[in-house]
Amino acid sequence: MKLSTSLIYSSYADDPDFKDLLDEFVARIPERVMSMRAMILQQDSPHLITIVHQLRGACGSYGFHQLTQQAEVLESLLQASDLNDDLKTQLESFLESCGRLTSSPNQQDL
């Protein structure tokens, strides 16, 4: 499976009033990704559900609607089943998408 390398922009990326907020949100994403990867290794579904729920809301608030939709699906799946290999694969896809968030429309795609 080929992973996408396209950057994911906020719907507010061109709004100068949101620049600092977007920069701060995107800067904190790597820490959240590392935390979620640790929770996956520890099979810590309850905390994963909490973090995915929080990211779902935050991504929506910051204009990253593509991730909001992914998080909504993951939250439902985490609540409905054990942390199996298929779900781990979907979580990794979500985390990969999180790594492609950008606050600046001036950055080049990888």
Side-chain angles (χ1 to χ4, degrees):
M1 174 175 82
K2 183 180 182 308
L3 295 177
S4 176
T5 57
S6 299
L7 296 175
I8 300 173
Y9 301 95
S10 165
S11 58
Y12 305 119
D14 293 322
D15 186 335
D17 293 334
F18 278 88
K19 183 188 178 335
D20 290 341
L21 292 171
L22 288 173
D23 287 346
E24 184 179 328
F25 177 73
V26 170
R28 290 192 335 249
I29 289 295
E31 180 182 327
R32 288 182 171 181
V33 167
M34 286 180 17
S35 177
M36 289 179 67
R37 285 202 167 108
M39 289 175 199
I40 292 168
L41 289 173
Q42 297 167 358
Q43 300 282 316
D44 190 348
S45 291
H47 285 110
L48 272 170
I49 291 168
T50 299
I51 297 290
V52 170
H53 177 79
Q54 290 170 347
L55 276 172
R56 175 183 166 193
C59 286
S61 295
Y62 288 97
F64 294 105
H65 303 294
Q66 177 183 341
L67 262 67
T68 300
Q69 293 168 351
Q70 278 185 283
E72 183 176 359
V73 169
L74 282 173
E75 185 179 2
S76 294
L77 291 172
L78 282 164
Q79 290 172 339
S81 67
D82 293 332
L83 195 54
N84 58 45
D85 288 341
D86 289 337
L87 187 48
K88 288 179 186 177
T89 299
Q90 290 183 39
L91 280 163
E92 277 301 322
S93 177
F94 175 71
L95 296 177
E96 183 273 328
S97 293
C98 287
R100 293 186 292 117
L101 294 182
T102 183
S103 60
S104 172
N106 300 321
Q107 289 184 347
Q108 298 293 318
D109 285 353
L110 304 174

mmCIF file of all heavy atoms in Angstrom, residues 32-44 48 95:
data_model
loop_
_atom_site.group_PDB
_atom_site.id
_atom_site.type_symbol
_atom_site.label_atom_id
_atom_site.label_comp_id
_atom_site.label_asym_id
_atom_site.label_seq_id
_atom_site.Cartn_x
_atom_site.Cartn_y
_atom_site.Cartn_z
ATOM 1 N N ARG A 32 1.303 14.170 19.988
ATOM 2 C CA ARG A 32 0.072 13.357 20.079
ATOM 3 C C ARG A 32 0.233 12.048 19.314
ATOM 4 O O ARG A 32 -0.245 11.000 19.768
ATOM 5 C CB ARG A 32 -1.115 14.143 19.535
ATOM 6 C CG ARG A 32 -1.543 15.259 20.454
ATOM 7 C CD ARG A 32 -2.736 15.978 19.908
ATOM 8 N NE ARG A 32 -3.263 16.904 20.889
ATOM 9 C CZ ARG A 32 -4.316 17.654 20.697
ATOM 10 N NH1 ARG A 32 -4.979 17.610 19.559
ATOM 11 N NH2 ARG A 32 -4.732 18.476 21.636
ATOM 12 N N VAL A 33 0.893 12.098 18.165
ATOM 13 C CA VAL A 33 1.119 10.880 17.380
ATOM 14 C C VAL A 33 1.977 9.898 18.172
ATOM 15 O O VAL A 33 1.655 8.707 18.243
ATOM 16 C CB VAL A 33 1.755 11.226 16.012
ATOM 17 C CG1 VAL A 33 2.279 9.976 15.316
ATOM 18 C CG2 VAL A 33 0.744 11.934 15.113
ATOM 19 N N MET A 34 3.061 10.376 18.776
ATOM 20 C CA MET A 34 3.916 9.496 19.587
ATOM 21 C C MET A 34 3.136 8.887 20.744
ATOM 22 O O MET A 34 3.272 7.696 21.044
ATOM 23 C CB MET A 34 5.133 10.270 20.106
ATOM 24 C CG MET A 34 6.162 10.530 19.043
ATOM 25 S SD MET A 34 7.655 11.437 19.582
ATOM 26 C CE MET A 34 7.671 11.338 21.327
ATOM 27 N N SER A 35 2.319 9.689 21.383
ATOM 28 C CA SER A 35 1.508 9.214 22.493
ATOM 29 C C SER A 35 0.541 8.118 22.041
ATOM 30 O O SER A 35 0.388 7.095 22.705
ATOM 31 C CB SER A 35 0.748 10.384 23.109
ATOM 32 O OG SER A 35 -0.090 9.948 24.137
ATOM 33 N N MET A 36 -0.088 8.345 20.903
ATOM 34 C CA MET A 36 -1.038 7.345 20.397
ATOM 35 C C MET A 36 -0.320 6.058 19.998
ATOM 36 O O MET A 36 -0.851 4.962 20.221
ATOM 37 C CB MET A 36 -1.837 7.907 19.226
ATOM 38 C CG MET A 36 -2.838 8.967 19.660
ATOM 39 S SD MET A 36 -3.764 9.655 18.287
ATOM 40 C CE MET A 36 -4.726 8.221 17.796
ATOM 41 N N ARG A 37 0.858 6.157 19.412
ATOM 42 C CA ARG A 37 1.616 4.950 19.057
ATOM 43 C C ARG A 37 1.960 4.142 20.315
ATOM 44 O O ARG A 37 1.896 2.917 20.304
ATOM 45 C CB ARG A 37 2.856 5.310 18.258
ATOM 46 C CG ARG A 37 2.516 5.690 16.832
ATOM 47 C CD ARG A 37 3.679 5.530 15.887
ATOM 48 N NE ARG A 37 3.179 5.623 14.524
ATOM 49 C CZ ARG A 37 3.394 6.657 13.720
ATOM 50 N NH1 ARG A 37 4.120 7.684 14.127
ATOM 51 N NH2 ARG A 37 2.900 6.650 12.496
ATOM 52 N N ALA A 38 2.305 4.824 21.386
ATOM 53 C CA ALA A 38 2.580 4.135 22.654
ATOM 54 C C ALA A 38 1.322 3.441 23.170
ATOM 55 O O ALA A 38 1.382 2.307 23.649
ATOM 56 C CB ALA A 38 3.118 5.126 23.687
ATOM 57 N N MET A 39 0.182 4.104 23.057
ATOM 58 C CA MET A 39 -1.086 3.503 23.503
ATOM 59 C C MET A 39 -1.445 2.281 22.668
ATOM 60 O O MET A 39 -1.993 1.306 23.190
ATOM 61 C CB MET A 39 -2.205 4.534 23.434
ATOM 62 C CG MET A 39 -2.101 5.616 24.464
ATOM 63 S SD MET A 39 -3.382 6.860 24.207
ATOM 64 C CE MET A 39 -2.695 8.213 25.121
ATOM 65 N N ILE A 40 -1.142 2.324 21.373
ATOM 66 C CA ILE A 40 -1.397 1.162 20.513
ATOM 67 C C ILE A 40 -0.544 -0.010 20.984
ATOM 68 O O ILE A 40 -1.043 -1.128 21.140
ATOM 69 C CB ILE A 40 -1.113 1.498 19.029
ATOM 70 C CG1 ILE A 40 -2.143 2.494 18.502
ATOM 71 C CG2 ILE A 40 -1.116 0.223 18.176
ATOM 72 C CD1 ILE A 40 -1.792 3.111 17.153
ATOM 73 N N LEU A 41 0.739 0.231 21.246
ATOM 74 C CA LEU A 41 1.636 -0.829 21.717
ATOM 75 C C LEU A 41 1.177 -1.401 23.049
ATOM 76 O O LEU A 41 1.325 -2.591 23.306
ATOM 77 C CB LEU A 41 3.067 -0.309 21.828
ATOM 78 C CG LEU A 41 3.790 -0.035 20.520
ATOM 79 C CD1 LEU A 41 5.130 0.640 20.770
ATOM 80 C CD2 LEU A 41 3.967 -1.320 19.725
ATOM 81 N N GLN A 42 0.631 -0.545 23.894
ATOM 82 C CA GLN A 42 0.172 -0.974 25.215
ATOM 83 C C GLN A 42 -1.256 -1.535 25.190
ATOM 84 O O GLN A 42 -1.782 -1.915 26.238
ATOM 85 C CB GLN A 42 0.234 0.207 26.191
ATOM 86 C CG GLN A 42 1.625 0.718 26.413
ATOM 87 C CD GLN A 42 1.638 2.072 27.122
ATOM 88 O OE1 GLN A 42 0.599 2.657 27.419
ATOM 89 N NE2 GLN A 42 2.829 2.569 27.389
ATOM 90 N N GLN A 43 -1.871 -1.545 24.004
ATOM 91 C CA GLN A 43 -3.253 -2.025 23.865
ATOM 92 C C GLN A 43 -4.198 -1.217 24.760
ATOM 93 O O GLN A 43 -5.128 -1.758 25.351
ATOM 94 C CB GLN A 43 -3.342 -3.518 24.204
ATOM 95 C CG GLN A 43 -2.490 -4.429 23.343
ATOM 96 C CD GLN A 43 -3.122 -4.682 21.992
ATOM 97 O OE1 GLN A 43 -4.314 -4.928 21.891
ATOM 98 N NE2 GLN A 43 -2.339 -4.619 20.942
ATOM 99 N N ASP A 44 -3.964 0.077 24.856
ATOM 100 C CA ASP A 44 -4.714 0.953 25.750
ATOM 101 C C ASP A 44 -5.887 1.608 25.013
ATOM 102 O O ASP A 44 -5.878 2.804 24.729
ATOM 103 C CB ASP A 44 -3.768 2.012 26.320
ATOM 104 C CG ASP A 44 -4.394 2.822 27.435
ATOM 105 O OD1 ASP A 44 -5.626 2.730 27.636
ATOM 106 O OD2 ASP A 44 -3.649 3.567 28.093
ATOM 107 N N LEU A 48 -6.912 5.581 23.960
ATOM 108 C CA LEU A 48 -6.957 5.852 22.522
ATOM 109 C C LEU A 48 -8.292 6.478 22.129
ATOM 110 O O LEU A 48 -8.338 7.417 21.340
ATOM 111 C CB LEU A 48 -6.739 4.566 21.720
ATOM 112 C CG LEU A 48 -5.301 4.205 21.412
ATOM 113 C CD1 LEU A 48 -5.224 2.788 20.838
ATOM 114 C CD2 LEU A 48 -4.668 5.196 20.468
ATOM 115 N N LEU A 95 -2.645 8.170 11.794
ATOM 116 C CA LEU A 95 -1.460 8.828 12.320
ATOM 117 C C LEU A 95 -0.575 9.348 11.188
ATOM 118 O O LEU A 95 0.004 10.429 11.290
ATOM 119 C CB LEU A 95 -0.680 7.882 13.236
ATOM 120 C CG LEU A 95 -1.419 7.457 14.501
ATOM 121 C CD1 LEU A 95 -0.596 6.458 15.301
ATOM 122 C CD2 LEU A 95 -1.799 8.648 15.347
#
